[in-house]
Amino acid sequence: MHLTTITGRLHGRGLRLAISAIIAALLAVVAVPAVTSSPASAHGWVTSPPSRQDHCASGTTSFDCGAIAYEPQSVEAPKGSMKCSGGSDFAVLDDESLPWPRTNVGSSLTLQWQLTAAHSTSTWEYFLDGELIATYDQGGQQPPSNIQHTLTGLPAGDHTLLARWNIADTPMAFYNCVDITVGGGGTPDPTPTGTPDPTPTPTSTGTPTECSPAWNSETVYNGGSTVSHAGNEWTAKWWTQGETPGTQWGPWESLGNCGSTTTPNPTPTEPNPTPTATGTATPSPTPTTTTTPAPVCNGPAYEPGRVYVGGDHVRHNGYAYKAKWWNVNNEPGTAQWGPWEQVTCLD
């Protein structure tokens, strides 16, 4: 065979190989993003009362939180941890030496979650200073993006509340720590002071109950926020804006009067008072409690298929019920540990 013919064939084969190699390289470049890309880390965190990562994201801490400020929803780690970070890379959340902001709350507290990905959920667990105080079973279902849970009977004082969201179809959980102060205020002096007057005269002791900032129709309030309105103190049961405190079935719960003083009974007039069976002196001030009016029995009837949120009231089979958390198609009175709480009603 002629030399030029052989050379031409070799060149033609080399060209085909080169073109094939270029095509394969281009296909590899296009395929790489499909293999290496992953969905954004988007899950959920407690926003009210603000969790530690929520304070970091809102810039309300006096220190630098680091990367958690940009992804408060991503505190994800294997189930079972008792750390605020869950053992994740966000170890700053575990640092108890930092001045984490605290939220003043009552003995009943509603926690508001913000979920950016509603994973199938097994349970929600809440620990107060390391002790389990409540578990909510989601049954493997997907929760709503604004799910709430209400905790009751919280003891007074400073506490750290750990919220653990356990995912049903993975070994992972999401962690939040909320720093709270339950109750507050000083303890009245049980010993009467001053010199008794010849005539018993009711006198005011102590200091007036200080009111929270006045309610504003344009302000957004989260669950646990407190305001004053019409001479009373109110606390928000969930997120609200433009809803006047005192509206029946509304988002506000009365905490009683504010801006007034307590008036004890008059003390005896004798220099050395001697208690008698008919005396009116009370050596120790008697605390008074304010209760929220009970719902009326002729309220709205329960409707299957309707979505109810924590705080909703319904009437069913002659009884009144209050929703403890978000639910749908959970008939009141059928489950002992269900989402409905039977309450006293006023006819």
Side-chain angles (χ1 to χ4, degrees):
M1 185 178 294
H2 197 274
L3 180 59
T4 56
T5 302
I6 296 174
T7 304
R9 290 183 177 178
L10 289 175
H11 286 176
R13 182 182 180 187
L15 180 59
R16 288 195 297 273
L17 291 174
I19 293 174
S20 298
I22 292 172
I23 293 174
L26 290 174
L27 290 175
V29 171
V30 173
V32 165
V35 174
T36 60
S37 62
S38 61
S41 179
H43 310 287
W45 76 105
V46 175
T47 59
S48 179
S51 57
R52 290 186 177 183
Q53 54 257 55
D54 189 69
H55 277 299
C56 290
S58 302
T60 53
T61 60
S62 60
F63 50 88
D64 183 6
C65 295
I68 189 61
Y70 306 103
E71 44 183 328
Q73 75 280 3
S74 301
V75 185
E76 182 181 18
K79 297 173 183 174
S81 176
M82 295 299 294
K83 293 184 176 181
C84 297
S85 69
S88 66
D89 293 336
F90 304 115
V92 65
L93 299 174
D94 303 323
D95 192 345
E96 298 297 336
S97 68
L98 296 175
W100 294 104
R102 289 189 171 274
T103 302
N104 292 320
V105 299
S107 60
S108 178
L109 169 63
T110 298
L111 290 102
Q112 175 76 60
W113 288 78
Q114 179 174 328
L115 308 186
T116 54
H119 297 288
S120 299
T121 302
S122 57
T123 58
W124 309 81
E125 297 175 302
Y126 294 95
F127 301 83
L128 191 69
D129 300 330
E131 180 181 351
L132 180 65
I133 60 171
T135 299
Y136 293 90
D137 190 352
Q138 194 73 40
Q141 301 298 311
Q142 288 184 318
S145 61
N146 61 341
I147 190 168
Q148 299 176 333
H149 295 128
T150 298
L151 308 178
T152 59
L154 300 178
D158 293 340
H159 304 285
T160 297
L161 179 68
L162 170 64
R164 196 162 68 190
W165 172 23
N166 296 308
I167 307 306
D169 51 6
T170 77
M172 307 301 281
F174 292 90
Y175 295 83
N176 287 255
C177 273
V178 183
D179 298 284
I180 58 175
T181 297
V182 180
T187 302
D189 187 353
T191 305
T193 59
T195 303
D197 295 328
T199 303
T201 303
T203 58
S204 176
T205 61
T207 57
T209 303
E210 185 176 351
C211 289
S212 295
W215 173 76
N216 188 318
S217 61
E218 298 181 358
T219 301
V220 172
Y221 298 97
N222 292 317
S225 299
T226 57
V227 300
S228 60
H229 182 70
N232 287 296
E233 192 90 352
W234 304 85
T235 182
K237 295 184 283 186
W238 56 78
W239 184 99
T240 177
Q241 182 183 23
E243 297 179 87
T244 306
T247 303
Q248 189 176 22
W249 316 119
W252 294 100
E253 178 181 357
S254 175
L255 298 178
N257 296 334
C258 66
S260 61
T261 60
T262 58
T263 304
N265 292 325
T267 57
T269 60
E270 293 82 359
N272 296 310
T274 301
T276 63
T278 59
T280 58
T282 54
S284 300
T286 302
T288 59
T289 58
T290 301
T291 58
T292 303
V296 293
C297 284
N298 60 358
Y302 168 76
E303 300 179 26
R306 179 177 175 180
V307 174
Y308 295 94
V309 299
D312 283 349
H313 291 79
V314 298
R315 172 177 47 85
H316 187 62
N317 292 337
Y319 295 95
Y321 294 88
K322 177 182 178 181
K324 294 186 285 185
W325 58 79
W326 183 97
N327 74 91
V328 62
N329 286 330
N330 284 274
E331 182 180 354
T334 58
Q336 182 179 5
W337 307 110
W340 292 100
E341 174 187 4
Q342 184 177 334
V343 296
T344 304
C345 59
L346 300 174
D347 293 326

